[in-house]
Amino acid sequence: MIWIDWLIVLAYLLLTLWLGLYLSRRASGSLVDFFVSGRSLPWWLAGTSMAATTFSIDTPLYIAGVVGTRGIAGNWEWWSFGIAHVVMIYVFSRLWRRSEIVTDAELTELRYGGSMGAWLRGIKAFLFAVPINCIGIGYAMLAMVKVITALQLWESLGFEPGDDAKLWSVIGVSIFVLVYAGFSGLWGVVATDFFQFFLALFGAIVVAGAALIKIGGMGSLVEQINTQFGPDTLALVPLQWGDGGIRWSETAGISVNTFLAYIGLQWWAFRRSDGGGEFIQRLAASKDEAEAEKAAWFFNILHYVVRTWPWVVVALVALVVYPNLEDRELGYPMLMSDFLPPVLLGLVVASLIAAFMSTVSTLINWGASYLTNDLYARFINRDAADAELVLAGRSASVLVTVLGATAAFFAQDVTTIFRLVIAIGTGPGLVLILRWFWWRINAAAELASMVAGFIIGLLTMPIADPATAQNPLVIGLAALQSRVTILQTTDFGQRLLVIASITTVIWVAAMYLTSPESPETLARFYQKVHPGGPGWNRQRIAVGEQPIRLITFAGGWPQLGFDQPGISPEQDLLLQGQQVIAAIGLLFGTMFAIGGFLLLQPLVGWLGLIIAVLGGVWLRRLQRARIAPMPRPGLEDVGDGL
């Protein structure tokens, strides 16, 4: 990089700081102002912010690594979450906005009562705010150091710092982020997210375009990939059609069991099955329920349809240009350094810094929301005034940043601990879905699912070579797995099935061995959220509403209970289920149509387009039963000043 590139980076940093500080006055009114923007975000801003939170600096590097080692089909590792994200659009987005919460942990005490509900809220808030969130910040910082090293940014200025010095420079950028995130709250985060996302997207498109030009265009790229690595690398699904019929692709590194687990199990078994913390914060901050649903749709479009293919193209070019590269993730920054001229290089470096800053600012604000709303305001000072809560939020932002920076200095330990922490995510997913639609789910069931998922996740961790293990815990785990063979599996799909199955048995037992929530708690939740389905018929009847039947009888024959009189569309799970199926066809069909035509696979492109059109037409028909715009609940806690 030369002086003009550094000038562009500096201008970007100053512009971001000015925008964040300018919005600080919007966050000083109350806790709701600071953490959910006064519940006034428009859909386009909330949706873009949701997409920006998933665009970290390590994301394009991760895609480069996946495509470089397993081909395009390896992306099903994260594409499969698109199913859960579409379910979020039509099933959960309105419920979260209707609940009027600040954090997802707060919903715990709305849904469950008594000391168990309070304890569960506190435990979840601590886990999400400290270990999971802070390790995520540390992980992003380490990824930033990797990019700095690959681009030789400090070397371009004549310095030769070590890894610790580079990490301190990343922490310096994080403190810069803290200044605007700590003062402006969620308003500053989402406003800078909007700018940062499109800058980061522009950077990805520039790198893809420049790389394609250098190697002679898409036709040349496809030909070289097929010649050097085989057609499996370009397959969008791990299936191939040949002279011998249909065969499973080995290139993607995904077994049949794992692929089936991705599309049929992972999306509902994971702890983000009903949304996910950062997404929930933006849904809760939307103007109303309709805006929350639009925000969820906009996120899906940006995340899967728009952003996927620039990353994939860059990863494919890196395969051709650097065929012997040992660390495939470095292909992305190396292409930037080798192919981009001055000014463009500065813009793209600024785009990567933008991706890093958008993730860190979100994690700072999100983590601070748990510490402030669910720990300080709930357990330490329940009578705190708004000014005190805003101050507590800003102090918590500083604490989260410090803890994240501390985690970054323990690189090896962070990687290990991060894998252990992520194991807690596989168990609770089904409970988190069912708690919305079945009154019998209680706090004991959710707590049991969290604990069981975490423990079973640890017990099923693959051990590379048990014979050479020296750690006593690893030796003990190997001995246990040798005796309980169901715990001994190296296939991810089988492991996920084992965790989900055992966890389900445990939480179901815990649920039936403990008392249900009190009628008062259940009635309060139902009247607040109005969830759909027959699982709340007791509460519906109690308030004089008609029960919902998924199966009805006409002329003595059973049929699905569509269009039941007295049932509003907002509670019609059958309608929402159809919308989900149609939207999955529209989303994935569009994504694969673009990918097919882009990669010169016309058959895939036309099939994707047909599926997308059919899904869109079906969804359009279902729009006739759409829910009318709702009032904006939760604004009464903002105050009269808005």
Side-chain angles (χ1 to χ4, degrees), residues 578-637:
Q578 293 177 84
Q579 291 174 319
V580 166
I581 296 171
I584 288 174
L586 176 58
L587 181 70
F588 281 92
T590 304
M591 185 175 74
F592 290 145
I594 294 173
F597 290 127
L598 179 67
L599 299 172
L600 308 182
Q601 301 176 25
L603 177 60
V604 174
W606 284 112
L607 285 175
L609 184 59
I610 291 170
I611 293 172
V613 170
L614 292 176
V617 170
W618 187 13
L619 197 59
R620 182 65 178 173
R621 288 190 174 187
L622 295 172
Q623 291 293 101
R624 298 171 183 173
R626 296 281 295 179
I627 309 165
M630 299 285 290
R632 295 167 59 180
L635 292 183
E636 64 273 8
D637 56 4

Side-chain angles (χ1 to χ4, degrees), residues 539-596:
Q539 287 69 36
R540 291 179 61 85
I541 294 172
V543 296
E545 296 178 2
Q546 179 178 328
I548 297 175
R549 308 296 182 194
L550 292 182
I551 304 294
T552 59
F553 289 87
W557 294 94
Q559 62 182 21
L560 291 175
F562 294 110
D563 302 322
Q564 296 181 58
I567 306 302
S568 64
E570 68 182 21
Q571 295 179 299
D572 191 342
L573 286 182
L574 291 175
L575 169 64
Q576 294 166 3
Q578 293 177 84
Q579 291 174 319
V580 166
I581 296 171
I584 288 174
L586 176 58
L587 181 70
F588 281 92
T590 304
M591 185 175 74
F592 290 145
I594 294 173

Side-chain angles (χ1 to χ4, degrees), residues 85-98:
H85 291 152
V86 171
V87 173
M88 177 179 68
I89 298 173
Y90 291 107
V91 179
F92 293 114
S93 62
R94 290 175 178 266
L95 294 175
W96 281 115
R97 180 60 185 89
R98 203 177 302 152

Side-chain angles (χ1 to χ4, degrees), residues 227-520:
T227 301
Q228 297 182 42
F229 303 97
D232 282 8
T233 302
L234 297 174
L236 303 189
V237 293
L239 287 172
Q240 285 294 300
W241 289 264
D243 296 335
I246 299 176
R247 64 178 179 84
W248 194 258
S249 171
E250 299 295 333
T251 302
I254 302 174
S255 68
V256 176
N257 290 334
T258 297
F259 183 72
L260 293 177
Y262 282 160
I263 63 175
L265 183 63
Q266 179 175 259
W267 62 270
W268 59 260
F270 194 57
R271 65 177 172 85
R272 291 174 175 263
S273 57
D274 65 344
E278 307 96 319
F279 295 167
I280 292 167
Q281 187 183 28
R282 275 114 181 112
L283 296 175
S286 299
K287 288 181 178 180
D288 53 39
E289 294 175 26
E291 293 284 298
E293 185 177 296
K294 291 177 184 177
W297 240 128
F298 195 47
F299 155 73
N300 275 276
I301 293 171
L302 294 177
H303 185 58
Y304 294 102
V305 177
V306 175
R307 200 167 52 184
T308 292
W309 298 112
W311 290 340
V312 169
V313 169
V314 172
L316 292 173
V317 173
L319 262 178
V320 172
V321 177
Y322 313 112
N324 300 316
L325 185 62
E326 183 176 346
D327 186 353
R328 285 293 175 192
E329 292 187 354
L330 293 178
Y332 192 94
M334 288 177 65
L335 286 174
M336 291 171 50
S337 179
D338 292 345
F339 289 170
L340 294 183
V343 178
L344 276 183
L345 180 59
L347 284 171
V348 176
V349 169
S351 76
L352 287 180
I353 296 175
F356 170 75
M357 292 173 66
S358 67
T359 298
V360 172
S361 64
T362 289
L363 293 177
I364 289 173
N365 185 266
W366 180 53
S369 69
Y370 289 117
L371 295 178
T372 307
N373 184 67
D374 301 301
L375 294 178
Y376 183 82
R378 173 61 182 85
F379 296 104
I380 298 175
N381 187 359
R382 302 193 66 172
D383 299 321
D386 284 336
E388 181 180 347
L389 291 175
V390 172
L391 178 61
R394 287 170 173 158
S395 302
S397 300
V398 175
L399 177 61
V400 168
T401 307
V402 170
L403 292 175
T406 303
F409 277 101
F410 298 92
Q412 298 301 321
D413 290 338
V414 165
T415 301
T416 303
I417 295 172
F418 187 74
R419 290 172 180 169
L420 298 182
V421 170
I422 218 66
I424 201 174
T426 303
L430 186 57
V431 174
L432 297 182
I433 294 174
L434 290 178
R435 66 180 178 176
W436 292 96
F437 305 111
W438 189 24
W439 68 272
R440 189 58 182 85
I441 298 292
N442 59 10
E446 185 169 334
L447 182 59
S449 71
M450 290 176 57
V451 175
F454 180 68
I455 293 175
I456 304 302
L458 296 182
L459 295 180
T460 56
M461 285 191 65
I463 300 174
D465 188 0
T468 60
Q470 297 181 350
N471 188 303
L473 293 177
V474 177
I475 294 173
L477 177 58
L480 177 63
Q481 290 181 352
S482 66
R483 290 171 172 79
V484 185
T485 56
I486 195 175
L487 301 177
Q488 191 175 14
T489 175
T490 57
D491 184 88
F492 177 78
Q494 293 179 2
R495 184 184 178 211
L496 195 62
L497 180 61
V498 168
I499 296 173
S501 300
I502 297 177
T503 300
T504 299
V505 171
I506 292 173
W507 72 253
V508 169
M511 179 182 70
Y512 281 113
L513 289 173
T514 54
S515 301
E517 300 300 327
S518 68
E520 294 78 16

